Amino acid sequence: MNKNRSTDHIKDLVNRCPQDRSVKHFTDLVRYFFLPQNPSPTSEPIEVKLRPCDGIRYNATKLGEAGLKFTKPDLKRDLLDINLPSNECLETFPCFNLSWLLSCLPFLKSDCLERQVQRCLEVPPLRVDDTTEDLFRNLMALEQCHYPDKTYICDYIVLLDDLITTEADVMLLVENEIIDNNLGSNAAVTKLFNNLGLEIALPRNPHYDNLRQQLNVYSRSSWNRLVGTLTKVYF
C-alpha cells in the first residue's frame, strides 16, 4: 500500500511538471517544485554595490536586536521566496525604527504596528528533520553540476548559513515559527546549515543578491545599530 502511494505521488509530480520542460531525473523534478513559481515583487536594486566576497554582515540575532523582525508571510509562499518588503517611511527616516519601544512595552505589540515601526524579513517556514541534510546536499550537487548559473537552492542555503551562526539564531527563528526543529537541539540545526554552506559561492541570482545588499545596508545604519544597543543593554 505504501509503495503504491509513493508511486502515485511520483506520477502526480510528473504530471504537474510542464510538458516543455526536460527533467533529467527525480532529483531534478524535486528541485523544480522548490523553485519560486510566482516570486514576490522585490524592491528596486539599491545603488550600494558590495564586493563579491561580502556576505551578510549580521546574523539573525544581531539583525533582530537592530529592529529587524523575522516573520512568516501572510499568505502561503514558495520555500525559496524570502522577501524584505519595502517600507518607504523607515527607509527614508530610519529614526522611526521604534522596535526598542516595543521591547520596552510588549503590550503594544501587534502585527499591524510592528510592520509600521520596524522592517520585517518574510521567510517561509522550513521543517528541519533527519532527511533535510541529504535532500539539500543532493539538490545543491545537482545545481552545481547542471545549473551553475541558476543556483537557487545553493543561494537559499548560503543566506540561511549567513543568518544562522549560533544556537541563539536558531532559537530566534524557531520562536518566530520560521524553523520547525525536529532534530532535537538548536545546536544540531546550527551545525547542519553551517556544514551545508561550506565552500558554496555567494548568491548569483538578482533576488538574493539584492536581498543580501538590503540587509547589509540595514545593518550599516547608525540608528539601527543604536536601536540594537538600546534593545540589548536596556530593554
Side-chain angles (χ1 to χ4, degrees):
M1 179 65 69
N2 291 336
K3 182 177 180 181
N4 291 336
R5 287 181 178 177
S6 299
T7 302
D8 291 341
H9 181 62
I10 293 174
K11 289 181 178 179
D12 180 58
L13 289 176
V14 173
N15 291 333
R16 289 167 54 196
C17 188
Q19 298 301 314
D20 59 350
R21 176 179 170 82
S22 175
V23 177
K24 298 177 174 60
H25 42 67
F26 183 70
T27 304
D28 190 26
L29 180 64
V30 172
R31 174 183 176 273
Y32 171 79
F33 288 107
F34 269 110
L35 302 182
Q37 305 300 312
N38 297 294
S40 302
T42 57
S43 303
E44 291 296 324
I46 57 179
E47 296 181 358
V48 178
K49 297 300 180 181
L50 305 176
R51 298 189 305 274
C53 61
D54 284 343
I56 299 175
R57 290 166 56 89
Y58 287 172
N59 56 17
T61 303
K62 293 294 185 182
L63 287 169
E65 291 173 352
L68 183 70
K69 179 176 175 59
F70 292 85
T71 183
K72 298 187 298 183
D74 292 333
L75 302 176
K76 186 176 180 180
R77 190 182 297 173
D78 297 308
L79 179 65
L80 307 187
D81 192 6
I82 300 176
N83 190 41
L84 183 66
S86 60
N87 185 319
E88 295 183 4
C89 179
L90 291 179
E91 291 171 17
T92 306
F93 304 104
C95 60
F96 288 169
N97 181 342
L98 301 179
S99 59
W100 60 272
L101 181 62
L102 297 181
S103 297
C104 182
L105 304 173
F107 62 86
L108 293 176
K109 287 186 177 181
S110 68
D111 290 341
C112 180
L113 181 59
E114 287 180 334
R115 291 178 183 275
Q116 295 298 322
V117 301
Q118 65 183 136
R119 299 295 300 278
C120 296
L121 182 66
E122 297 179 346
V123 186
L126 169 66
R127 177 186 175 90
V128 180
D129 55 30
D130 293 332
T131 67
T132 301
E133 181 170 6
D134 290 340
L135 172 65
F136 279 113
R137 284 200 182 280
N138 284 321
L139 293 173
M140 293 166 71
L142 171 72
E143 284 192 337
Q144 291 177 318
C145 291
H146 298 287
Y147 303 102
D149 297 323
K150 298 179 180 179
T151 54
Y152 296 100
I153 303 294
C154 293
D155 297 347
Y156 172 77
I157 292 298
V158 168
L159 180 64
L160 290 184
D161 181 34
D162 284 344
L163 292 175
I164 298 174
T165 59
T166 68
E167 295 179 40
D169 299 319
V170 176
M171 183 180 299
L172 175 64
L173 297 178
V174 169
E175 289 175 350
N176 286 279
E177 300 181 352
I178 290 172
I179 287 183
D180 179 12
N181 184 4
N182 288 269
L183 289 182
S185 72
N186 293 333
V189 177
T190 304
K191 182 179 179 181
L192 185 153
F193 284 105
N194 291 167
N195 287 340
L196 285 175
L198 289 175
E199 307 299 330
I200 301 298
L202 287 175
R204 301 178 184 179
N205 71 69
H207 175 78
Y208 280 99
D209 184 60
N210 188 37
L211 180 61
R212 177 170 54 92
Q213 293 188 52
Q214 286 179 304
L215 291 174
N216 279 336
V217 169
Y218 180 92
S219 68
R220 286 194 180 100
S221 166
S222 57
W223 177 258
N224 291 334
R225 290 199 301 270
L226 177 60
V227 166
T229 301
L230 288 171
T231 302
K232 183 176 182 180
V233 176
Y234 298 102
F235 305 126

mmCIF file of all heavy atoms in Angstrom, residues 132-165:
data_model
loop_
_atom_site.group_PDB
_atom_site.id
_atom_site.type_symbol
_atom_site.label_atom_id
_atom_site.label_comp_id
_atom_site.label_asym_id
_atom_site.label_seq_id
_atom_site.Cartn_x
_atom_site.Cartn_y
_atom_site.Cartn_z
ATOM 1 N N THR A 132 16.626 16.329 6.031
ATOM 2 C CA THR A 132 16.894 17.652 5.447
ATOM 3 C C THR A 132 18.280 17.745 4.822
ATOM 4 O O THR A 132 18.434 18.238 3.699
ATOM 5 C CB THR A 132 16.730 18.743 6.519
ATOM 6 O OG1 THR A 132 15.408 18.692 7.044
ATOM 7 C CG2 THR A 132 16.983 20.117 5.922
ATOM 8 N N GLU A 133 19.296 17.286 5.531
ATOM 9 C CA GLU A 133 20.659 17.429 5.021
ATOM 10 C C GLU A 133 20.859 16.658 3.723
ATOM 11 O O GLU A 133 21.407 17.185 2.752
ATOM 12 C CB GLU A 133 21.682 16.960 6.059
ATOM 13 C CG GLU A 133 23.118 17.126 5.580
ATOM 14 C CD GLU A 133 24.141 16.897 6.672
ATOM 15 O OE1 GLU A 133 23.750 16.489 7.788
ATOM 16 O OE2 GLU A 133 25.342 17.123 6.412
ATOM 17 N N ASP A 134 20.414 15.387 3.669
ATOM 18 C CA ASP A 134 20.570 14.592 2.453
ATOM 19 C C ASP A 134 19.825 15.224 1.283
ATOM 20 O O ASP A 134 20.328 15.266 0.148
ATOM 21 C CB ASP A 134 20.058 13.168 2.681
ATOM 22 C CG ASP A 134 20.957 12.374 3.620
ATOM 23 O OD1 ASP A 134 22.125 12.761 3.791
ATOM 24 O OD2 ASP A 134 20.475 11.369 4.185
ATOM 25 N N LEU A 135 18.616 15.725 1.555
ATOM 26 C CA LEU A 135 17.818 16.355 0.492
ATOM 27 C C LEU A 135 18.541 17.547 -0.105
ATOM 28 O O LEU A 135 18.716 17.638 -1.332
ATOM 29 C CB LEU A 135 16.466 16.784 1.058
ATOM 30 C CG LEU A 135 15.596 17.639 0.123
ATOM 31 C CD1 LEU A 135 15.183 16.844 -1.105
ATOM 32 C CD2 LEU A 135 14.365 18.173 0.865
ATOM 33 N N PHE A 136 18.988 18.473 0.734
ATOM 34 C CA PHE A 136 19.615 19.680 0.220
ATOM 35 C C PHE A 136 20.982 19.396 -0.393
ATOM 36 O O PHE A 136 21.369 20.047 -1.371
ATOM 37 C CB PHE A 136 19.722 20.737 1.317
ATOM 38 C CG PHE A 136 18.441 21.495 1.544
ATOM 39 C CD1 PHE A 136 17.736 21.365 2.737
ATOM 40 C CD2 PHE A 136 17.926 22.324 0.562
ATOM 41 C CE1 PHE A 136 16.553 22.056 2.939
ATOM 42 C CE2 PHE A 136 16.742 23.013 0.748
ATOM 43 C CZ PHE A 136 16.045 22.876 1.948
ATOM 44 N N ARG A 137 21.727 18.437 0.145
ATOM 45 C CA ARG A 137 23.029 18.112 -0.465
ATOM 46 C C ARG A 137 22.850 17.593 -1.877
ATOM 47 O O ARG A 137 23.607 17.940 -2.786
ATOM 48 C CB ARG A 137 23.777 17.097 0.393
ATOM 49 C CG ARG A 137 24.395 17.684 1.650
ATOM 50 C CD ARG A 137 25.497 16.828 2.212
ATOM 51 N NE ARG A 137 26.035 17.398 3.423
ATOM 52 C CZ ARG A 137 26.922 18.394 3.470
ATOM 53 N NH1 ARG A 137 27.348 18.935 2.328
ATOM 54 N NH2 ARG A 137 27.378 18.845 4.616
ATOM 55 N N ASN A 138 21.856 16.760 -2.092
ATOM 56 C CA ASN A 138 21.598 16.242 -3.439
ATOM 57 C C ASN A 138 21.161 17.354 -4.386
ATOM 58 O O ASN A 138 21.613 17.416 -5.542
ATOM 59 C CB ASN A 138 20.528 15.146 -3.381
ATOM 60 C CG ASN A 138 21.064 13.833 -2.844
ATOM 61 O OD1 ASN A 138 22.174 13.437 -3.146
ATOM 62 N ND2 ASN A 138 20.267 13.156 -2.033
ATOM 63 N N LEU A 139 20.288 18.241 -3.910
ATOM 64 C CA LEU A 139 19.811 19.340 -4.749
ATOM 65 C C LEU A 139 20.935 20.318 -5.072
ATOM 66 O O LEU A 139 21.044 20.815 -6.200
ATOM 67 C CB LEU A 139 18.668 20.073 -4.049
ATOM 68 C CG LEU A 139 17.368 19.280 -3.864
ATOM 69 C CD1 LEU A 139 16.381 20.061 -3.000
ATOM 70 C CD2 LEU A 139 16.744 18.946 -5.208
ATOM 71 N N MET A 140 21.794 20.600 -4.099
ATOM 72 C CA MET A 140 22.911 21.526 -4.313
ATOM 73 C C MET A 140 23.932 20.932 -5.278
ATOM 74 O O MET A 140 24.473 21.632 -6.139
ATOM 75 C CB MET A 140 23.558 21.875 -2.974
ATOM 76 C CG MET A 140 22.646 22.686 -2.055
ATOM 77 S SD MET A 140 23.219 22.756 -0.340
ATOM 78 C CE MET A 140 24.667 23.820 -0.526
ATOM 79 N N ALA A 141 24.204 19.626 -5.141
ATOM 80 C CA ALA A 141 25.139 18.970 -6.060
ATOM 81 C C ALA A 141 24.602 19.001 -7.486
ATOM 82 O O ALA A 141 25.348 19.230 -8.449
ATOM 83 C CB ALA A 141 25.380 17.528 -5.609
ATOM 84 N N LEU A 142 23.294 18.788 -7.630
ATOM 85 C CA LEU A 142 22.659 18.853 -8.956
ATOM 86 C C LEU A 142 22.840 20.237 -9.567
ATOM 87 O O LEU A 142 23.201 20.367 -10.750
ATOM 88 C CB LEU A 142 21.180 18.519 -8.831
ATOM 89 C CG LEU A 142 20.345 18.745 -10.093
ATOM 90 C CD1 LEU A 142 20.662 17.677 -11.136
ATOM 91 C CD2 LEU A 142 18.854 18.740 -9.773
ATOM 92 N N GLU A 143 22.583 21.281 -8.788
ATOM 93 C CA GLU A 143 22.713 22.645 -9.304
ATOM 94 C C GLU A 143 24.134 22.960 -9.720
ATOM 95 O O GLU A 143 24.363 23.567 -10.775
ATOM 96 C CB GLU A 143 22.257 23.649 -8.244
ATOM 97 C CG GLU A 143 20.760 23.739 -8.078
ATOM 98 C CD GLU A 143 20.338 24.932 -7.256
ATOM 99 O OE1 GLU A 143 21.154 25.433 -6.460
ATOM 100 O OE2 GLU A 143 19.192 25.379 -7.399
ATOM 101 N N GLN A 144 25.093 22.581 -8.915
ATOM 102 C CA GLN A 144 26.476 22.908 -9.225
ATOM 103 C C GLN A 144 26.960 22.192 -10.477
ATOM 104 O O GLN A 144 27.836 22.697 -11.181
ATOM 105 C CB GLN A 144 27.365 22.566 -8.028
ATOM 106 C CG GLN A 144 27.115 23.481 -6.834
ATOM 107 C CD GLN A 144 27.944 23.109 -5.624
ATOM 108 O OE1 GLN A 144 28.091 21.937 -5.298
ATOM 109 N NE2 GLN A 144 28.480 24.098 -4.939
ATOM 110 N N CYS A 145 26.370 21.041 -10.778
ATOM 111 C CA CYS A 145 26.778 20.290 -11.977
ATOM 112 C C CYS A 145 26.008 20.724 -13.223
ATOM 113 O O CYS A 145 26.592 20.857 -14.305
ATOM 114 C CB CYS A 145 26.564 18.793 -11.748
ATOM 115 S SG CYS A 145 27.670 18.041 -10.543
ATOM 116 N N HIS A 146 24.695 20.943 -13.076
ATOM 117 C CA HIS A 146 23.844 21.156 -14.246
ATOM 118 C C HIS A 146 23.271 22.566 -14.368
ATOM 119 O O HIS A 146 22.844 22.962 -15.448
ATOM 120 C CB HIS A 146 22.685 20.150 -14.231
ATOM 121 C CG HIS A 146 23.128 18.723 -14.311
ATOM 122 N ND1 HIS A 146 23.622 18.162 -15.477
ATOM 123 C CD2 HIS A 146 23.156 17.738 -13.369
ATOM 124 C CE1 HIS A 146 23.937 16.892 -15.258
ATOM 125 N NE2 HIS A 146 23.661 16.605 -13.991
ATOM 126 N N TYR A 147 23.232 23.324 -13.251
ATOM 127 C CA TYR A 147 22.651 24.667 -13.300
ATOM 128 C C TYR A 147 23.583 25.673 -12.608
ATOM 129 O O TYR A 147 23.191 26.324 -11.640
ATOM 130 C CB TYR A 147 21.280 24.688 -12.616
ATOM 131 C CG TYR A 147 20.283 23.712 -13.189
ATOM 132 C CD1 TYR A 147 20.016 22.500 -12.535
ATOM 133 C CD2 TYR A 147 19.613 23.990 -14.377
ATOM 134 C CE1 TYR A 147 19.104 21.605 -13.060
ATOM 135 C CE2 TYR A 147 18.702 23.088 -14.903
ATOM 136 C CZ TYR A 147 18.452 21.894 -14.252
ATOM 137 O OH TYR A 147 17.546 21.006 -14.773
ATOM 138 N N PRO A 148 24.820 25.803 -13.072
ATOM 139 C CA PRO A 148 25.777 26.691 -12.389
ATOM 140 C C PRO A 148 25.368 28.159 -12.388
ATOM 141 O O PRO A 148 25.850 28.928 -11.547
ATOM 142 C CB PRO A 148 27.075 26.476 -13.183
ATOM 143 C CG PRO A 148 26.626 25.997 -14.532
ATOM 144 C CD PRO A 148 25.415 25.166 -14.266
ATOM 145 N N ASP A 149 24.484 28.553 -13.304
ATOM 146 C CA ASP A 149 24.035 29.950 -13.356
ATOM 147 C C ASP A 149 22.652 30.136 -12.750
ATOM 148 O O ASP A 149 22.105 31.247 -12.770
ATOM 149 C CB ASP A 149 24.023 30.445 -14.810
ATOM 150 C CG ASP A 149 25.409 30.443 -15.426
ATOM 151 O OD1 ASP A 149 26.378 30.750 -14.704
ATOM 152 O OD2 ASP A 149 25.522 30.129 -16.625
ATOM 153 N N LYS A 150 22.072 29.062 -12.232
ATOM 154 C CA LYS A 150 20.743 29.137 -11.623
ATOM 155 C C LYS A 150 20.735 28.351 -10.318
ATOM 156 O O LYS A 150 19.948 27.429 -10.123
ATOM 157 C CB LYS A 150 19.684 28.587 -12.581
ATOM 158 C CG LYS A 150 19.568 29.368 -13.890
ATOM 159 C CD LYS A 150 18.523 28.761 -14.801
ATOM 160 C CE LYS A 150 18.399 29.528 -16.108
ATOM 161 N NZ LYS A 150 17.390 28.929 -17.007
ATOM 162 N N THR A 151 21.613 28.762 -9.416
ATOM 163 C CA THR A 151 21.803 28.011 -8.170
ATOM 164 C C THR A 151 20.846 28.506 -7.080
ATOM 165 O O THR A 151 21.268 29.008 -6.036
ATOM 166 C CB THR A 151 23.258 28.129 -7.697
ATOM 167 O OG1 THR A 151 23.609 29.533 -7.617
ATOM 168 C CG2 THR A 151 24.201 27.432 -8.634
ATOM 169 N N TYR A 152 19.558 28.347 -7.309
ATOM 170 C CA TYR A 152 18.560 28.844 -6.363
ATOM 171 C C TYR A 152 18.672 28.162 -5.002
ATOM 172 O O TYR A 152 18.593 28.821 -3.960
ATOM 173 C CB TYR A 152 17.154 28.638 -6.935
ATOM 174 C CG TYR A 152 16.881 29.425 -8.182
ATOM 175 C CD1 TYR A 152 16.945 28.832 -9.441
ATOM 176 C CD2 TYR A 152 16.560 30.781 -8.111
ATOM 177 C CE1 TYR A 152 16.699 29.561 -10.599
ATOM 178 C CE2 TYR A 152 16.307 31.517 -9.268
ATOM 179 C CZ TYR A 152 16.380 30.901 -10.495
ATOM 180 O OH TYR A 152 16.138 31.620 -11.640
ATOM 181 N N ILE A 153 18.826 26.849 -4.988
ATOM 182 C CA ILE A 153 18.912 26.114 -3.733
ATOM 183 C C ILE A 153 20.189 26.501 -2.986
ATOM 184 O O ILE A 153 20.169 26.747 -1.777
ATOM 185 C CB ILE A 153 18.883 24.598 -3.975
ATOM 186 C CG1 ILE A 153 17.622 24.187 -4.747
ATOM 187 C CG2 ILE A 153 18.982 23.853 -2.647
ATOM 188 C CD1 ILE A 153 16.348 24.395 -3.992
ATOM 189 N N CYS A 154 21.299 26.564 -3.703
ATOM 190 C CA CYS A 154 22.572 26.951 -3.081
ATOM 191 C C CYS A 154 22.490 28.361 -2.502
ATOM 192 O O CYS A 154 22.981 28.623 -1.393
ATOM 193 C CB CYS A 154 23.714 26.874 -4.097
ATOM 194 S SG CYS A 154 24.119 25.194 -4.652
ATOM 195 N N ASP A 155 21.869 29.272 -3.240
ATOM 196 C CA ASP A 155 21.730 30.652 -2.772
ATOM 197 C C ASP A 155 20.886 30.706 -1.493
ATOM 198 O O ASP A 155 21.180 31.469 -0.570
ATOM 199 C CB ASP A 155 21.081 31.517 -3.853
ATOM 200 C CG ASP A 155 21.938 31.615 -5.106
ATOM 201 O OD1 ASP A 155 23.109 31.228 -5.036
ATOM 202 O OD2 ASP A 155 21.432 32.069 -6.142
ATOM 203 N N TYR A 156 19.852 29.897 -1.467
ATOM 204 C CA TYR A 156 18.979 29.841 -0.286
ATOM 205 C C TYR A 156 19.758 29.353 0.938
ATOM 206 O O TYR A 156 19.660 29.927 2.031
ATOM 207 C CB TYR A 156 17.811 28.907 -0.598
ATOM 208 C CG TYR A 156 16.908 28.583 0.567
ATOM 209 C CD1 TYR A 156 15.958 29.503 1.020
ATOM 210 C CD2 TYR A 156 16.986 27.344 1.209
ATOM 211 C CE1 TYR A 156 15.112 29.190 2.075
ATOM 212 C CE2 TYR A 156 16.149 27.024 2.258
ATOM 213 C CZ TYR A 156 15.215 27.950 2.691
ATOM 214 O OH TYR A 156 14.382 27.641 3.740
ATOM 215 N N ILE A 157 20.557 28.302 0.745
ATOM 216 C CA ILE A 157 21.341 27.745 1.854
ATOM 217 C C ILE A 157 22.397 28.740 2.326
ATOM 218 O O ILE A 157 22.642 28.886 3.537
ATOM 219 C CB ILE A 157 21.992 26.418 1.433
ATOM 220 C CG1 ILE A 157 20.921 25.340 1.237
ATOM 221 C CG2 ILE A 157 23.019 25.962 2.467
ATOM 222 C CD1 ILE A 157 20.128 25.013 2.486
ATOM 223 N N VAL A 158 23.047 29.440 1.398
ATOM 224 C CA VAL A 158 24.050 30.435 1.776
ATOM 225 C C VAL A 158 23.420 31.541 2.616
ATOM 226 O O VAL A 158 24.008 31.998 3.611
ATOM 227 C CB VAL A 158 24.731 31.036 0.519
ATOM 228 C CG1 VAL A 158 25.556 32.262 0.882
ATOM 229 C CG2 VAL A 158 25.621 29.992 -0.143
ATOM 230 N N LEU A 159 22.221 31.968 2.239
ATOM 231 C CA LEU A 159 21.536 33.007 3.004
ATOM 232 C C LEU A 159 21.235 32.528 4.424
ATOM 233 O O LEU A 159 21.483 33.239 5.404
ATOM 234 C CB LEU A 159 20.242 33.406 2.296
ATOM 235 C CG LEU A 159 19.412 34.495 2.986
ATOM 236 C CD1 LEU A 159 20.183 35.804 3.038
ATOM 237 C CD2 LEU A 159 18.078 34.687 2.283
ATOM 238 N N LEU A 160 20.715 31.299 4.554
ATOM 239 C CA LEU A 160 20.422 30.763 5.882
ATOM 240 C C LEU A 160 21.710 30.560 6.684
ATOM 241 O O LEU A 160 21.729 30.778 7.903
ATOM 242 C CB LEU A 160 19.665 29.435 5.769
ATOM 243 C CG LEU A 160 18.223 29.514 5.266
ATOM 244 C CD1 LEU A 160 17.581 28.129 5.298
ATOM 245 C CD2 LEU A 160 17.400 30.488 6.100
ATOM 246 N N ASP A 161 22.768 30.161 6.007
ATOM 247 C CA ASP A 161 24.055 29.982 6.690
ATOM 248 C C ASP A 161 24.567 31.313 7.238
ATOM 249 O O ASP A 161 25.141 31.365 8.336
ATOM 250 C CB ASP A 161 25.076 29.378 5.718
ATOM 251 C CG ASP A 161 26.427 29.148 6.367
ATOM 252 O OD1 ASP A 161 26.478 28.823 7.572
ATOM 253 O OD2 ASP A 161 27.452 29.297 5.675
ATOM 254 N N ASP A 162 24.357 32.400 6.488
ATOM 255 C CA ASP A 162 24.759 33.729 6.972
ATOM 256 C C ASP A 162 23.931 34.152 8.174
ATOM 257 O O ASP A 162 24.433 34.772 9.110
ATOM 258 C CB ASP A 162 24.607 34.772 5.855
ATOM 259 C CG ASP A 162 25.724 34.688 4.826
ATOM 260 O OD1 ASP A 162 26.751 34.050 5.124
ATOM 261 O OD2 ASP A 162 25.565 35.254 3.739
ATOM 262 N N LEU A 163 22.650 33.824 8.152
ATOM 263 C CA LEU A 163 21.762 34.228 9.242
ATOM 264 C C LEU A 163 21.953 33.370 10.491
ATOM 265 O O LEU A 163 21.755 33.833 11.614
ATOM 266 C CB LEU A 163 20.298 34.138 8.795
ATOM 267 C CG LEU A 163 19.840 35.129 7.724
ATOM 268 C CD1 LEU A 163 18.403 34.825 7.306
ATOM 269 C CD2 LEU A 163 19.951 36.568 8.221
ATOM 270 N N ILE A 164 22.340 32.111 10.292
ATOM 271 C CA ILE A 164 22.472 31.177 11.418
ATOM 272 C C ILE A 164 23.946 30.907 11.697
ATOM 273 O O ILE A 164 24.615 30.182 10.953
ATOM 274 C CB ILE A 164 21.754 29.850 11.109
ATOM 275 C CG1 ILE A 164 20.260 30.088 10.899
ATOM 276 C CG2 ILE A 164 21.987 28.837 12.222
ATOM 277 C CD1 ILE A 164 19.492 28.847 10.449
ATOM 278 N N THR A 165 24.465 31.482 12.768
ATOM 279 C CA THR A 165 25.847 31.229 13.179
ATOM 280 C C THR A 165 25.932 30.696 14.610
ATOM 281 O O THR A 165 26.949 30.132 14.990
ATOM 282 C CB THR A 165 26.708 32.502 13.081
ATOM 283 O OG1 THR A 165 26.142 33.527 13.916
ATOM 284 C CG2 THR A 165 26.755 33.009 11.641
#
